[in-house]
Amino acid sequence: MKHALFASLLAAGGLFGAPACQASPNDPQEAARRAVLTGEACPAVGDKVFFFWMEPQSAEPGEMISLQPYWTDMPGGYNSVPAGCIGDLNVVPAEAGSFSRDETGTAFLTISPDVEAGARVRVEGTYRGRHPIGGPIEVFSAEQNPLVGYWRQDDETCPPDSAVKELVFSGGGDLTVTWTPFEVYKDYWAAFDYDPATGAFSFEVEGGNQIPEDMVTEGRARIEGDRLIFEDIFLGTPSQAKGGCRSDFLR
């Protein structure tokens, strides 16, 4: 998974991508699109892979997203650079969002309220005016997909070493399961399908580093407050545990 994410950054506009189109001089957002820091304020780190996030960001229409830049030269590596050094900002499609900056110079992208759930958006820019940087965004509706976000099981309600520490649902219909989080490591990843009206839930594993043999992939799910409750669904027993955990998940 680490290497797949790293490779996707390269393909999506890392070392070999082209800078986004320059903003028009008459663009009312020109100031927000333009870098506010230059020269020695923007460290030269060489031809690395620059990114805002390593995995697609999930966002709802109208949501504001902070554009904090990072660079890496290895899978899982995060090295921050000053946010004010990011310029030539652009969003694809152009009508999908608008830019602003705060007093620190950090840029923000606000997803247009007219963007439909299920749309894929990409934000692009440059670091120091020549290094391409970008990130994909999956637009979703919390009403249609209330599972999106991070969930976890409580160690105290699970057999030793069996609690899922990260269950992550994306706005694009994917989930990842991790028992021992480290950098971008995931134990396995899957596509999921959920009907909030009936509670019907299923998932299909697409790959992983540790895929348990005792998973139950079809059943029901419901949310009560900040608690996710599975019926019949079981994410599996990790190799380091003697028994699996069937406790509820917490946000």
Side-chain angles (χ1 to χ4, degrees):
M1 182 67 169
K2 283 185 181 180
H3 299 286
L5 288 170
F6 187 66
S8 69
L9 285 170
L10 290 172
L15 293 175
F16 308 111
C21 296
Q22 297 284 338
S24 165
N26 298 320
D27 189 334
Q29 288 202 72
E30 181 181 4
R33 297 173 185 268
R34 191 171 56 233
V36 297
L37 297 177
T38 58
E40 294 182 357
C42 303
V45 297
D47 290 328
K48 310 298 184 182
V49 176
F50 291 83
F51 60 96
F52 292 120
W53 40 80
M54 280 196 172
E55 299 177 70
Q57 181 93 342
S58 298
E60 292 190 85
E63 186 171 340
M64 179 182 286
I65 304 170
S66 174
L67 302 179
Q68 172 59 50
Y70 300 90
W71 66 267
T72 187
D73 55 5
M74 66 179 68
Y78 281 78
N79 303 277
S80 64
V81 291
C85 299
I86 299 300
D88 303 318
L89 285 168
N90 186 42
V91 61
V92 181
E95 65 275 10
S98 59
F99 295 99
S100 60
R101 288 190 187 261
D102 65 11
E103 64 278 2
T104 70
T106 299
F108 293 82
L109 171 67
T110 299
I111 302 297
S112 170
D114 298 325
V115 176
E116 294 185 358
R120 291 178 179 268
V121 174
R122 181 170 176 81
V123 59
E124 301 174 340
T126 61
Y127 175 70
R128 302 185 82 237
R130 63 175 180 269
H131 299 291
I133 185 171
I137 301 165
E138 297 172 335
V139 181
F140 78 102
S141 163
E143 181 178 354
Q144 299 172 8
N145 196 351
L147 300 179
V148 172
Y150 286 74
W151 302 83
R152 61 178 177 81
Q153 289 175 315
D154 189 342
D155 281 320
E156 295 184 359
T157 63
C158 297
D161 301 318
S162 68
V164 173
K165 298 299 179 62
E166 288 185 357
L167 169 60
V168 184
F169 294 95
S170 78
D174 300 312
L175 68 81
T176 60
V177 174
T178 311
W179 281 281
T180 307
F182 177 71
E183 295 180 344
V184 297
Y185 174 86
K186 312 293 181 186
D187 280 297
Y188 67 84
W189 44 96
F192 76 91
D193 187 58
Y194 177 57
D195 184 347
T198 65
F201 179 90
S202 63
F203 68 96
E204 182 176 355
V205 175
E206 297 180 331
N209 297 294
Q210 178 182 195
I211 303 176
E213 297 181 353
D214 58 349
M215 295 180 297
V216 179
T217 62
E218 295 185 9
R220 294 185 179 278
R222 70 180 189 275
I223 296 175
E224 294 183 359
D226 289 332
R227 189 177 296 271
L228 170 60
I229 302 169
F230 283 133
E231 297 177 9
D232 298 326
I233 294 292
F234 180 52
L235 301 182
T237 303
S239 59
Q240 66 269 25
K242 294 183 178 180
C245 182
R246 295 180 180 270
S247 295
D248 298 342
F249 286 80
L250 308 173
R251 282 198 189 273

